[in-house]
Amino acid sequence: MPVPVNAVTGFSAALADATRPLVGMWACSGSPLVAEICAGSGLDWLLIDAEHSPNGLESLLAQLQAVAGYPIVPVVRPPVLDPVIIKQYLDLGAQNLLIPMVDTADDARLAVSSIHYPPRGMRGVGSALARASRWNRIDNYLDRAGDFLSVTVQIESTTAVANLRDITAVDGVSAVFIGPSDLAASMGLLGQQDHPDVVDVVERCIRTVASFGKPVGVNAFAEPLARRYLAAGADFILVGADVALLARGSEQLATAYINDAENTRPGSAPTQSY
């Protein structure tokens, strides 16, 4: 006899219940093991990225399974706003999606439509075959699926900033996330996420979204910027990435231990340069 399974609390509920900003990190390595290590960190949410990371359906599935037993909310970012890709991610069991490059209200409406079954949306019906419904072990999944899902739209261009009020107002948009890296590039300030003009736009976006009563988040790896955006009213934030932590940590080890002057073997002559 099938065992009823309750779906995990989604990102929208976590944001609604939070008494402080939710702090998270990126999982970009494509590794279920690394994702599980991050899931046990004590952070609030984990963004499993498929836009700039080597993730396919199988690796996403493995990571969702790896983090499922931990008190962290997984959010998955597809590479593009595509209803077919979104359908596949939802069937894998992703409940919270962060949609990149949402520039207009029409983009936002397409994102919302992509996560819902008809008549509200266009999601294809294959729940009996999918982990999303735990293979029909979640009671009344087709009727209740929308209750488990959230869609966060990512604002990362000057076009999106210009359309921010219309985007935020779209019914079904759960939250808005600001991406300063691409935003800076679209402003002609490539690689300058901390430029005063970029910071000013981000803070104005935070205030605009907040005025609609919707949660707003931002990406900020540099702690001073992260603290500033939290003080400006960000409800959720990403402050690091698995691959960046490994890269910087391994570099620190190399700096600490590979030093010719300190590590010359006893009895050996120091290296000479000419």
Side-chain angles (χ1 to χ4, degrees):
M1 178 179 292
V3 178
V5 178
N6 292 321
V8 179
T9 299
F11 196 40
S12 294
L15 286 165
D17 294 341
T19 58
R20 56 167 175 77
L22 300 185
V23 181
M25 66 175 291
W26 298 73
C28 302
S29 65
S31 164
L33 179 62
V34 173
E36 184 173 5
I37 293 170
C38 296
S41 63
L43 291 169
D44 300 304
W45 66 293
L46 183 68
L47 181 62
I48 303 173
D49 183 48
E51 183 182 12
H52 295 297
S53 304
N55 271 312
L57 295 177
E58 290 81 2
S59 64
L60 288 172
L61 172 60
Q63 288 170 87
L64 289 169
Q65 291 171 326
V67 307
Y70 291 85
I72 196 167
V73 179
V75 179
V76 179
R77 183 169 73 168
V80 66
L81 171 52
D82 183 321
V84 174
I85 293 175
I86 289 172
K87 171 181 63 178
Q88 291 179 303
Y89 284 19
L90 294 174
D91 283 350
L92 289 179
Q95 292 177 215
N96 310 292
L97 296 180
L98 174 63
I99 308 299
M101 293 293 181
V102 173
D103 285 334
T104 66
D106 284 341
D107 290 342
R109 281 188 282 268
L110 177 60
V112 172
S113 178
S114 297
I115 74 167
H116 290 289
Y117 290 122
R120 183 176 182 184
M122 63 174 68
R123 179 183 175 187
V125 182
S127 59
L129 311 175
R131 179 175 178 265
S133 71
R134 302 306 188 266
W135 304 276
N136 274 353
R137 289 172 177 162
I138 295 178
D139 293 336
N140 300 318
Y141 177 79
L142 290 178
D143 294 329
R144 301 167 58 205
D147 298 337
F148 308 140
L149 304 178
S150 75
V151 58
T152 299
V153 296
Q154 187 162 353
I155 302 301
E156 44 189 337
S157 71
T158 55
T159 300
V161 171
N163 293 320
L164 181 57
R165 298 186 68 85
D166 291 337
I167 292 170
T168 306
V170 170
D171 183 36
V173 168
S174 306
V176 174
F177 184 77
I178 305 161
S181 294
D182 279 298
L183 178 57
S186 76
M187 294 172 64
L189 298 167
L190 181 65
Q192 300 180 63
Q193 296 92 302
D194 58 350
H195 191 283
D197 291 347
V198 178
V199 175
D200 178 66
V201 171
V202 171
E203 291 183 328
R204 285 195 283 113
C205 288
I206 291 173
R207 292 192 296 270
T208 297
V209 178
S211 72
F212 282 81
K214 288 190 177 180
V216 56
V218 64
N219 190 62
F221 283 13
E223 185 173 354
L225 270 184
R227 298 288 184 188
R228 178 166 178 169
Y229 292 146
L230 289 170
D235 299 295
F236 59 105
I237 194 165
L238 290 171
V239 295
D242 55 353
V243 291
L245 291 171
L246 181 58
R248 303 294 83 78
S250 58
E251 290 162 4
Q252 289 172 8
L253 289 174
T255 299
Y257 289 99
I258 301 178
N259 184 308
D260 289 344
E262 296 178 0
N263 290 286
T264 301
R265 290 189 179 89
S268 63
T271 302
Q272 297 184 2
S273 59
Y274 298 92

